[in-house]
Amino acid sequence: MTAERGKAEGEAPKGAYEARANVTALKREVAEAEKRLLRTNEALREANAQLVVSSLRAHTDVETCAKKLKAASRAAQHDALTELPNRMFLRDRFEQAIVHARRDDTLLALLFLDVDNFKEINDTLGHAVGDDVLRRAARSLVSTVRAGDTVSRHGGDEFLILLAGVSKASDAAIVAQKVVAALYAAVPSIDPRLTASIGISIYPRDGNDVDTLIERADAAMYLAKKHGPGGFAFHSEECTSDPRESLTILRQQR
């Protein structure tokens, strides 16, 4: 009995030692696990931060690309000097306007405008002054018409004005008179004052497509110019062998 009691007493410290060793090992494992968890959390936070930065960069890049695309699109559709719609933009607007006019049974009017004596302005005052005159003329034209109308630069000193939803042809004459007056006041420093000759074609009376209407407004402008600066002419309803002879003159001079 004494021997057995001694053996049990001797085993107790050994069991306690092993228990403490196990606890110590578990603590080390827990500590290692906590370190791994900490490193994982740090990695996740870093990854999340990188994701946020990448997302912001991507958003910025998208906005930058969108702005560049918009600028490129605008540059392709607008005249660099006057910032007015160019021929391509006007043609697109014109074709849409014809569709709407046909559907709504309304008229369209096209004013073909040529600045009188512009070559003389360039030759005597210089191209820089000529460019400024064209920019001022463009702003003057835009301020004269309605927001739904389209003013475009056709090239050189020529401009086109598309009037949508016109109820009668005489409305175009009223606009032509306003345009002539506005141009006269646009550059008061120039002597003689700025004037323009304007030809007018009416859809569908003078044509059913863009090219025909531009051609006939152009022809009307030449006849208006032939009769002196600062006037306008309508293309007539009669047809002759020479379209520049089939015109009706309406004059408005200062």
Side-chain angles (χ1 to χ4, degrees), residues 200-237:
I200 306 171
S201 63
I202 303 295
Y203 168 89
R205 186 188 74 187
D206 299 322
N208 293 305
D209 62 88
V210 175
D211 291 328
T212 299
L213 291 163
I214 291 177
E215 177 186 342
R216 291 183 174 175
D218 185 16
M221 181 273 294
Y222 273 100
L223 188 57
K225 188 174 286 289
K226 180 180 177 181
H227 286 75
F232 60 89
F234 275 92
H235 191 279
S236 74
E237 294 177 290

Side-chain angles (χ1 to χ4, degrees), residues 77-153:
Q77 295 180 331
H78 288 74
D79 173 61
L81 177 64
T82 63
E83 298 185 354
L84 291 177
N86 58 19
R87 293 188 187 190
M88 180 179 68
F89 194 175
L90 174 77
R91 177 173 290 274
D92 182 61
R93 285 277 186 91
F94 208 159
E95 290 173 349
Q96 293 180 38
I98 288 176
V99 171
H100 293 157
R102 186 180 297 120
R103 181 196 63 195
D104 301 334
D105 194 25
T106 57
L107 304 178
L108 298 175
L110 180 68
L111 279 60
F112 195 117
L113 181 151
D114 182 85
V115 177
D116 295 319
N117 303 318
F118 184 71
K119 185 177 184 302
E120 182 181 346
I121 294 174
N122 264 340
D123 292 344
T124 58
L125 301 177
H127 289 280
V129 173
D131 288 347
D132 183 58
V133 167
L134 290 177
R135 284 190 288 265
R136 293 193 185 196
R139 291 195 294 268
S140 174
L141 296 177
V142 172
S143 67
T144 303
V145 300
R146 301 167 300 178
D149 298 326
T150 303
V151 179
S152 73
R153 187 183 182 196

